[in-house]
Amino acid sequence: NAGVTQTPKFQVLKTGQSMTLQCAQDMNHNSMYWYRQDPGMGLRLIYYSASEGTTDKGEVPNGYNVSRLNKREFSLRLESAAPSQTSVYFCASSPQGVGSGNTIYFGEGSWLTVV
Amino acid sequence: EDQVTQSPEALRLQEGESSSLNCSYTVSGLRGLFWYRQDPGKGPEFLFTLYSAGEEKEKERLKATLTKKESFLHITAPKPEDSATYLCAVQALGGYSSASKIIFGSGTRLSIRP
C-alpha cells in the first residue's frame, strides 16, 4: 500500500522557471492538501481540495496553482519560481475534510531549491 | 489569533530517561489535536488524535494527554529509535472550511543517546 506518493523527490530550478509537483494517493480519500515546510515555521497550507472538483487557497497560496485532476491526483504548479519558494513540499490526504475522526496522511516530501 | 507553540525546540535524553514534550495552543475552539512523528528526510507520520480535555492515548512508549490549553507527549524509557522531530497540530473551529483551520507547531527535535 503506497499511501501518498509525490514526484519528484528532488528538484533544482532557476529563478523564473516553471514546474509541477505531482501527487497521487491510493487510499480513496476525498480531500487532498499541499503544504510547505520551512525551518522554524512549521507546516503551512498552500492549497487544498476538499473533494474532487474543488480547490481552495490555504495560508500561503501566492505563486502557486493547483489542479485536482481526479480523486487520486492533486498537482501543484509553480509558474515562475522564486528563491523564496525554496522549501520542502508535502502532499497529504484525508478521508473527508479534516474533522472528528479524520486524519491527514502525508507523502514523503519533495525538496525544491530555486537558484 | 490561533497559535500553536511547542517546547522545547530540542531535547537530548539518555536512553531510558523519561521526559515530556509540550504543545500549548490558543485557538477559537478546539476540534482536535494531532501528534505526528517526523524522521529526517521523511514526511510526518501520524501518532495520535485527541478531541477533549482529559483524554489520553498510548502507543508503545508514548502517551499523549490533553488539557484545555495544552497537550503533553510523554516518552517513557525512550530508546535511540525514538529520536525524531515530534509535531503537534491543532484543528480549530471556524473558517469556511475545516481543512483550512489546522495549525502546526514547529516541532520538538528529540535525540536519544544510547
Side-chain angles (χ1 to χ4, degrees), chain A residues 2-66:
Chain A
V4 179
T5 303
Q6 301 178 225
T7 56
K9 179 87 171 178
F10 300 98
Q11 183 73 50
V12 178
L13 286 178
K14 293 183 179 178
T15 298
Q17 285 185 320
S18 62
M19 77 158 297
T20 300
L21 299 176
Q22 306 286 353
C23 175
Q25 52 91 10
D26 62 3
M27 296 176 283
N28 200 35
H29 286 172
N30 287 312
S31 300
M32 297 186 73
Y33 314 84
W34 277 105
Y35 285 88
R36 61 178 288 173
Q37 188 176 39
D38 303 290
M41 297 290 289
L43 284 156
R44 292 182 293 168
L45 183 64
I46 305 171
Y47 269 93
Y48 65 98
S49 171
S51 61
E52 186 178 357
T54 69
T55 60
D56 286 288
K57 295 178 181 180
E59 181 184 354
V60 288
N62 291 344
Y64 306 95
N65 284 301
V66 291

Side-chain angles (χ1 to χ4, degrees), chain B residues 60-102:
Chain B
E60 296 180 358
R61 294 177 293 281
L62 301 176
K63 183 169 79 173
T65 61
L66 181 64
T67 72
K68 289 187 177 180
K69 293 186 176 182
E70 57 192 350
S71 176
F72 292 94
L73 184 64
H74 306 279
I75 302 176
T76 301
K79 298 181 178 182
E81 54 262 41
D82 294 321
S83 297
T85 296
Y86 290 85
L87 302 175
C88 168
V90 169
Q91 186 185 10
L93 290 171
Y96 58 89
S97 170
S98 61
S100 65
K101 294 294 288 184
I102 296 175

Side-chain angles (χ1 to χ4, degrees), chain B residues 5-10 20-24 107-108:
Chain B
T5 303
Q6 291 188 246
S7 61
E9 287 188 15
S20 297
L21 313 182
N22 177 263
C23 172
S24 63
T108 293

Side-chain angles (χ1 to χ4, degrees), chain A residues 48-107:
Chain A
Y48 65 98
S49 171
S51 61
E52 186 178 357
T54 69
T55 60
D56 286 288
K57 295 178 181 180
E59 181 184 354
V60 288
N62 291 344
Y64 306 95
N65 284 301
V66 291
S67 295
R68 183 73 182 266
L69 304 171
N70 48 56
K71 189 172 184 179
R72 291 186 63 247
E73 298 174 287
F74 188 39
S75 63
L76 178 72
R77 182 163 179 84
L78 286 69
E79 292 290 352
S80 179
S84 61
Q85 294 178 304
T86 294
S87 188
V88 184
Y89 291 85
F90 289 99
C91 179
S93 69
S94 67
Q96 301 289 340
V98 180
S100 297
N102 288 294
T103 298
I104 297 178
Y105 296 90
F106 288 85

Side-chain angles (χ1 to χ4, degrees), chain B residues 4 47 59 111:
Chain B
V4 177
L47 292 173
K59 180 179 180 180
S111 176

Side-chain angles (χ1 to χ4, degrees), chain B residues 26-38:
Chain B
T26 54
V27 295
S28 51
L30 180 69
R31 296 188 71 168
L33 185 141
F34 307 89
W35 281 99
Y36 286 84
R37 169 190 171 129
Q38 186 173 22

